[in-house]
Amino acid sequence: MKISFAIDSQLLRELGARLVGKPHIAIAELIKNSYDADATQVQIIMREDRIEIVDNGQGMTFEELRDRWMRIGTAQKASERVSRRLGRPLTGSKGVGRLAVQLLGTQLLLESASDQQPNHIIKATVNWDEAVNAGLLTQATADVFEQEGTPDFPGGSEHGTRVVITALQQQWNSRTLRDVAREIWPLEPPFKTDSDESVDAFAVQLDTGQKWQEKIFDEQMRAVLQIWTSRIVGELLPMGAKIPRDSVEVQRPRIEGSDPLNISDEAADLLLPAPSDAPGSSRIVRLSLNFDDGNREIIHYVLNDCALDRLNFEIRVFNLKYRQPAGIPVQEARSYLRRFGGVHIYDAGFHLPYYGADTDWLHIEMDHSHRLSVSKLLPKELIQGSDAVNPLNYLPTNSRLFGVVEVDTSHELRASAMMGSAAIREALSIQLTRDRLADTQGYRSLVQLTRFAVDFYAIREAQRAWARKASAFGRKRNPPDPSHTPDREPAKDNDNDEDVSAAGHALLMEDLLNETSDLIPEDTADLLKTQIREVAEMAPLAFG
């Protein structure tokens, strides 16, 4: 005689508790389910007697509710891998979201309308206490019914899902709400996405009725953007602004008697001058360079053939090493910037989709691959007086940047109309497809002015790094600190730290060799590095 396995319904509670464990993770799993359902807007509504998670995702039909939502441990997400409409990589765990609900409250109401069946609403209620006490898992039930009507989901959507949890098991405070944000922040892009058809369009709104709690949640959702090491802020000053005496000029080769389009360069928009019939005008950018140690520098630079009338930008530079504040894991932050980083362009508030992490419109990655050591745009006076060699080694990659550049193509066309037809032809403008900027002098001015600022940051960062290393070589060596651990940095940039070990000196010398690599034969540099490491290993570990 064969006997089938029977599964006790207590497994519902055991799975929910063990797979999730904490209430804030349970909330996060529900929001991940919304993300996997291609929602672009999610509302978390919290009151003393209930929690609601409402989205405008694809919703569920009766068959999907029966065959997927009611089936424990479904392999749907393991087999499908991406969402149905937007092709997002699926994030939620198999069945965890719905099982985890019982950690939050004992009563559940689910309301869903599928994008495949307009005006048709599926409702289900679950009493988790009754389900857990049902005896066998197959005897645990949900009450399901259907009705016709016009549903109301975020953004006025007629499809989506609403989860209402009552008979709550715990109280929520600012700390637990911050924990929710720490679980879900990588899902929400740092920029506003104007199209619901974008895979990146996802916004989470918290409504607790307490503005201060909502502010804490929102700050944690954006906390990754606050861990910058440098901020580059620029503004194109109005036409006619007085040029300061200490301003510098954007450098580009002057071409006499030849067609400028004959320039052979992969980054020609950094070099091409204005056409002779649309020379542009001299315009000034006020640039503020801010470092996280409080240091700040302001310079002005001039583009003599500028074809832009308005420009503002802020670019943040990140150095994602070691432990980060706000509970942000380094690997998640790096992954986030690889996905959402780069320098983005907004046209009158509209995010242009082809300018960001996946594009190199400022030619930064190209110059990295070419190991560019001299800026094409910076004048010599900004580089002179520094001992730094190959300062563009400090040019940050797109994966270390998040920037927003604000322009207005409608305004640019109006401004150019006062200067004639040639100026209109070269004004900053959008292609007919409404996603890319046309290759005009206005666009080239945009590239030149923005890239100048990034190159200037690289020069200053190189100079700062060289100064720190030079200072480290001049410090007094102290006996080893008994609290030294393998995770401790062998050399510190903090001027108050005088402990520079032999290993620290070796690292500093290797850095110097790397920065002078273009001046030393490669085999010689490799030999020197090997000898430096051997000397460091032979150095005594204690001093008498």
Side-chain angles (χ1 to χ4, degrees):
M1 180 176 63
K2 295 183 179 180
I3 302 176
S4 299
F5 284 99
I7 304 176
D8 196 290
S9 59
Q10 290 285 339
L11 183 64
L12 285 171
R13 181 160 291 164
E14 183 74 8
L15 286 174
R18 288 188 177 273
L19 291 178
V20 176
K22 296 181 179 180
H24 71 270
I25 298 179
I27 293 282
E29 286 296 331
L30 292 174
I31 296 169
K32 289 178 182 179
N33 285 346
S34 297
Y35 182 86
D36 293 343
D38 287 327
T40 58
Q41 298 180 46
V42 180
Q43 295 174 350
I44 310 171
I45 303 170
M46 287 191 169
R47 297 295 185 266
E48 290 185 2
D49 61 343
R50 75 185 192 281
I51 298 173
E52 292 186 35
I53 310 292
V54 194
D55 68 49
N56 64 346
Q58 61 198 21
M60 288 184 288
T61 63
F62 174 82
E63 290 74 21
E64 288 171 331
L65 176 73
R66 179 192 63 199
D67 299 337
R68 296 185 176 184
W69 196 84
M70 289 294 295
R71 184 181 296 273
I72 306 301
T74 176
Q76 169 206 355
K77 293 185 178 180
S79 60
E80 293 183 357
R81 297 186 181 276
V82 297
S83 63
R84 185 174 71 199
R85 184 170 63 89
L86 296 179
R88 292 171 173 169
L90 299 182
T91 62
S93 301
K94 294 179 290 186
V96 170
R98 52 193 178 276
L99 290 179
V101 168
Q102 61 189 297
L103 285 178
L104 305 173
T106 60
Q107 304 292 323
L108 167 69
L109 167 64
L110 174 74
E111 179 180 291
S112 190
S114 172
D115 56 359
Q116 302 177 34
Q117 295 181 345
N119 303 320
H120 189 76
I121 304 171
I122 306 296
K123 290 189 177 182
T125 60
V126 178
N127 183 318
W128 287 111
D129 286 338
E130 291 181 0
V132 168
N133 294 325
L136 298 180
L137 185 57
T138 54
Q139 296 174 339
T141 62
D143 293 327
V144 181
F145 58 95
E146 304 175 64
Q147 68 181 47
E148 300 301 315
T150 303
D152 181 21
F153 295 107
S157 174
E158 295 183 354
H159 53 81
T161 299
R162 174 178 284 104
V163 176
V164 183
I165 306 160
T166 54
L168 302 183
Q169 304 275 47
Q170 63 280 125
Q171 294 183 332
W172 292 79
N173 55 39
S174 58
R175 181 180 60 81
T176 50
L177 292 172
R178 183 187 289 114
D179 289 340
V180 172
R182 285 181 176 178
E183 292 292 326
I184 64 173
W185 67 265
L187 301 177
E188 185 175 285
F191 46 80
K192 181 180 180 295
T193 303
D194 300 88
S195 172
D196 283 350
E197 298 301 315
S198 169
V199 65
D200 294 332
F202 192 71
V204 181
Q205 179 185 10
L206 175 67
D207 176 4
T208 66
Q210 302 291 333
K211 294 299 183 183
W212 62 274
Q213 289 182 333
E214 296 164 7
K215 180 180 178 181
I216 290 173
F217 178 85
D218 290 341
E219 288 176 347
Q220 183 63 46
M221 290 292 289
R222 299 191 303 271
V224 67
L225 298 182
Q226 306 305 319
I227 59 177
W228 52 267
T229 56
S230 306
R231 288 174 62 236
I232 308 166
V233 182
E235 176 189 9
L236 186 63
L237 299 183
M239 177 77 75
K242 184 177 180 180
I243 299 178
R245 289 184 178 179
D246 59 350
S247 62
V248 295
E249 288 187 11
V250 177
Q251 302 297 296
R252 285 175 299 119
R254 297 185 180 278
I255 300 175
E256 303 292 345
S258 63
D259 182 357
L261 295 180
N262 288 332
I263 290 179
S264 177
D265 190 280
E266 291 179 83
D269 48 14
L270 287 176
L271 302 175
L272 288 174
S276 58
D277 61 343
S281 58
S282 294
R283 297 295 297 273
I284 312 162
V285 170
R286 181 183 186 273
L287 180 69
S288 174
L289 182 57
N290 309 272
F291 293 95
D292 61 350
D293 60 6
N295 285 334
R296 183 187 184 201
E297 181 177 1
I298 295 176
I299 70 163
H300 295 82
Y301 57 96
V302 180
L303 181 62
N304 286 321
D305 54 4
C306 184
L308 274 179
D309 190 59
R310 289 182 183 174
L311 172 66
N312 291 280
F313 58 81
E314 178 177 336
I315 302 171
R316 300 187 181 192
V317 186
F318 299 82
N319 186 19
L320 298 173
K321 298 179 181 179
Y322 319 124
R323 186 174 182 178
Q324 297 294 320
I328 298 174
V330 168
Q331 290 303 324
E332 285 194 18
R334 288 176 178 171
S335 176
Y336 188 79
L337 284 177
R338 281 195 297 270
R339 180 181 176 189
F340 294 123
V343 180
H344 300 258
I345 299 179
Y346 282 78
D347 179 14
F350 181 84
H351 181 245
L352 300 183
Y354 290 98
Y355 299 89
D358 296 330
T359 59
D360 191 29
W361 67 278
L362 289 175
H363 312 294
I364 290 173
E365 302 297 334
M366 184 186 69
D367 286 344
H368 265 287
S369 66
H370 291 175
R371 302 186 69 185
L372 185 70
S373 58
V374 178
S375 172
K376 302 170 184 176
L377 301 172
L378 297 187
K380 292 181 180 179
E381 55 260 40
L382 289 181
I383 305 173
Q384 290 172 345
S386 167
D387 294 324
V389 180
N390 295 341
L392 283 194
N393 284 347
Y394 285 81
L395 189 68
T397 60
N398 278 328
S399 61
R400 289 184 52 217
L401 294 176
F402 177 74
V404 171
V405 176
E406 297 178 340
V407 296
D408 187 337
T409 53
S410 295
H411 171 82
E412 295 299 328
L413 287 172
R414 291 193 300 270
S416 63
M418 303 174 62
M419 303 172 64
S421 59
I424 294 176
R425 182 195 69 216
E426 295 297 330
L428 186 71
S429 58
I430 291 282
Q431 295 179 356
L432 293 177
T433 55
R434 297 294 300 172
D435 52 21
R436 288 179 173 87
L437 294 167
D439 184 17
T440 63
Q441 179 61 15
Y443 175 70
R444 290 190 286 273
S445 297
L446 172 64
V447 176
Q448 293 154 10
L449 292 174
T450 309
R451 177 59 192 269
F452 182 102
V454 179
D455 282 9
F456 178 69
Y457 156 79
I459 297 296
R460 286 296 183 258
E461 184 58 38
Q463 293 168 346
R464 284 162 53 87
W466 188 276
R468 290 194 298 266
K469 291 166 187 174
S471 176
F473 274 116
R475 295 176 194 153
K476 178 183 177 182
R477 291 178 63 182
N478 292 335
D481 186 341
S483 65
H484 178 88
T485 64
D487 292 334
R488 182 179 174 184
E489 287 297 290
K492 300 286 186 178
D493 286 341
N494 188 333
D495 289 338
N496 295 323
D497 186 352
E498 295 185 347
D499 179 12
V500 182
S501 66
H505 278 288
L507 288 175
L508 290 169
M509 295 178 71
E510 282 194 41
D511 282 346
L512 297 180
L513 284 172
N514 288 333
E515 292 179 12
T516 57
S517 58
D518 289 350
L519 307 177
I520 303 174
E522 185 175 353
D523 54 350
T524 302
D526 290 341
L527 178 61
L528 286 172
K529 291 176 186 178
T530 301
Q531 294 296 319
I532 289 169
R533 294 189 194 108
E534 291 179 358
V535 170
E537 291 172 358
M538 291 186 293
L541 298 179
F543 305 92

